[in-house]
Amino acid sequence: MDTKIIPVDSCKPASNDIGCPPTNGFVSTIQGSSTSPVPVSMAEATLGRHIARRLVQIGVEDVFAVPGDFNLTLLDHLIAEPGLTLVGCCNELNAGYAADGYARARGVGACAVTFTVGGLSVLNAIAGAYSENLPIICIVGGPNSNDFGTNRILHHTIGLPDFSQELRCFQTVTCYQAVVNNLEDAHEQIDTAISTALKESKPVYISISCNLSAIPHPTFSLEPVPFSLSPKLSNKCGLQAAVTAAAEFLNKAVKPVMVGGPKLRVSNATDAFVELADASGYALSVMPSAKGLVPEHHPHFLGTYWGAVSTGFCAEIVESADAYVFVGPIFNDYSSVGYSLLLKKEKAIIVQPDRVVIGNGPSFGCVLMKDFLRALAKQVKHNETAYENYHRIFVPEGHPVKCAPKEPLRVNRMFQHIQNMLSNETAVIAETGDSWFNCQKLKLPRGCGYEFQMQYGSIGWSVGATLGYAQAVPEKRVIACIGDGSFQMTAQDVSTMLRCNQKSIIFLVNNGGYTIEVEIHDGPYNVIKNWNYTGFVDAIDNGSGKCWTTKVRSEEELVEAIQTATGPKKDCLCFIEVIVHKDDTSKELLEWGSRVSAANSRPPNPQ
């Protein structure tokens, strides 16, 4: 029998798999066989080819890279690997953001940069991936192995003989760090790093000395034996006790509800969440950072629970419930709208990836989310009271008034037209800013992807993420909604999208500044220099004909632009600059901004 790479969900142990994918992507674990590993030629038995083979095995087909003198030989070996494409990015930050977007679609991503100047540049993106539980293999070309332990001062460092500052920086934003400066344990270090990334669903750091990548070594003389990652298991007694206590708690409630959180992704628990929703009949909603993880076509789906800026009638139902099941939540100052949620701990069951807490106690550890939800679905009583209450009070939302001919375009009308573009062949990338709130109101059809970075909230993330996501799922057309201030942070890698012949549609919202920050605390620093954005993208295209750009100022111009982008120009990248008034924001941002501002400006506690 041949060695096969198989999707994690095709192995059905009694509990969660390790290295599980997000619901809209996949990570492959590898199941071994009795067949002996295949020998490779000595020319290919190198460290560089080994890491390349490992990346292909786990499902990485594209590595986002920026060359530098310490990683050039390594890049040669990545390029030489069949099935692996090296995607050259304009800077390391965007390479990291692209690996982030790729991991959201595929379940794992990879980037390759040079020592320190590249490593510290990509660090911000890796920190964001850590906060979002995304496994990224961050590979850095390191110093020559002979320089370790010497008193030499190297270039690309801060000028000290101790050049470990890059490693120390990565220790806080990765779950494993491997410094490969000898060939004897390189095989073990690389394999441990990659498997740890899949197990923990976090980034890892691998530094490879620049003089080692091309050297053959006996440990690389066979095709690498595929990973077989042991599944995490729930404690059976703890699981049974948690389910019994939770069922008793919920079955006494009159109008219980369910709320999905962002850690559904790392637990690969969306299907189990839906199973519980179907069995229980509870009304269900999602926290804003979980949008796209729960099917919005579910008959009992209410929308987004986000406190004062929730979908209409959603907060009223959730906060008036006498029991709520929060599955994989993250309660931070942003998701809680400045700590203003009207929730009571004694009414809540909090289900985390490996722990369940019921009310003010008890707490059950070593209980995996997927196992708990599926077992609970078999013990809860069917109760549609909360949804029936919602159905009674619900009033269909109105549609924004259509703009008059030649009237300046309003943002709410723009998103009405974006709504009509969505299908199972599209995915939405929402940049940090007012796009958070406007995209949150989009109703996602079955199969439509959706991503944004709420926990870390790094402005500019979406350009690289759009590049990576589109590269990972070329069969989907990415619709990116990006503010002008964010775009100025990372605009260069539109160039890489064109090199990769991507066909995304970018809506550039030109309102003259950092609108989300204006609503938190205004000042002259929130006003930016206006660019000729379409002219900028045309200059990047440089006559290749791989993109189409236009400016729109009115609704009729927007309609015409969308018709062109989805019609004659459907096979190229489309860049639509939407010019709107600087104060044209969603009502949700106005409310959220004032509450977050109040939270930020709390005076110090008395000593």
Side-chain angles (χ1 to χ4, degrees), residues 536-558:
F536 175 83
V537 174
D538 286 336
I540 291 175
D541 182 50
N542 197 23
S544 73
K546 293 183 177 180
C547 78
W548 174 76
T549 68
T550 189
K551 296 179 188 285
V552 301
R553 294 178 172 83
S554 64
E555 186 168 359
E556 53 266 39
E557 290 177 351
L558 176 66

Side-chain angles (χ1 to χ4, degrees), residues 20-280:
C20 287
T23 54
N24 60 343
F26 65 89
V27 172
S28 293
T29 58
I30 292 76
Q31 184 170 353
S33 69
S34 58
T35 304
S36 299
V38 179
V40 298
S41 67
M42 282 306 293
E44 296 183 347
T46 62
L47 184 158
R49 289 302 293 275
H50 175 76
I51 195 167
R53 292 187 191 99
R54 277 303 197 207
L55 292 175
V56 172
Q57 278 187 343
I58 64 172
V60 173
E61 297 178 358
D62 303 271
V63 177
F64 300 93
V66 177
D69 60 330
F70 283 123
N71 73 358
L72 298 177
T73 304
L74 172 62
L75 298 186
D76 288 338
H77 287 74
L78 297 181
I79 291 171
E81 181 63 26
L84 198 62
T85 299
L86 199 69
V87 179
C89 296
C90 297
N91 59 57
E92 293 87 357
L93 178 61
N94 275 337
Y97 286 154
D100 173 309
Y102 194 93
R104 290 167 184 268
R106 289 289 188 96
V108 61
C111 58
V113 300
T114 196
F115 182 58
T116 307
V117 292
L120 298 189
S121 181
V122 79
L123 188 70
N124 185 52
I126 298 302
Y130 189 96
S131 76
E132 301 274 325
N133 296 298
L134 298 171
I136 292 178
I137 316 302
C138 181
I139 307 164
V140 176
N144 187 292
S145 61
N146 297 301
D147 291 324
F148 286 86
T150 69
N151 210 31
R152 295 170 180 149
I153 295 176
L154 301 181
H155 70 287
H156 289 344
T157 70
I158 59 173
L160 299 176
D162 174 12
F163 43 81
S164 63
Q165 62 270 12
E166 178 188 82
L167 169 63
R168 296 198 302 273
C169 290
F170 273 94
Q171 285 173 338
T172 59
V173 295
T174 56
C175 66
Y176 189 87
Q177 307 82 38
V179 178
V180 181
N181 53 22
N182 72 84
L183 290 172
E184 298 302 321
D185 63 355
H187 189 289
E188 178 186 358
Q189 286 208 72
I190 291 169
D191 286 6
T192 301
I194 293 175
S195 60
T196 302
L198 299 181
K199 292 175 188 176
E200 302 297 328
S201 198
K202 295 281 190 182
V204 294
Y205 165 86
I206 303 176
S207 173
I208 298 177
S209 289
C210 60
N211 60 327
L212 300 184
S213 297
I215 301 175
H217 192 269
T219 55
F220 307 125
S221 60
L222 300 176
E223 284 283 345
V225 175
F227 291 124
S228 182
L229 302 178
S230 302
K232 290 181 180 178
L233 300 173
S234 290
N235 178 300
K236 289 184 178 180
C237 294
L239 174 62
Q240 182 177 350
V243 170
T244 299
E248 181 181 356
F249 183 91
L250 292 169
N251 290 338
K252 291 189 299 186
V254 176
K255 45 184 179 179
V257 297
M258 294 172 57
V259 183
K263 292 183 182 178
L264 279 168
R265 184 204 298 269
V266 69
S267 302
N268 194 32
T270 290
D271 289 346
F273 182 85
V274 174
E275 284 181 33
L276 177 58
D278 291 340
S280 66

Side-chain angles (χ1 to χ4, degrees), residues 483-503:
D484 49 356
S486 298
F487 186 74
Q488 288 192 10
M489 296 272 189
T490 49
Q492 306 97 306
D493 271 281
V494 171
S495 172
T496 311
M497 298 179 197
L498 297 175
R499 290 177 66 186
C500 295
N501 298 308
Q502 293 182 358
K503 56 183 181 180

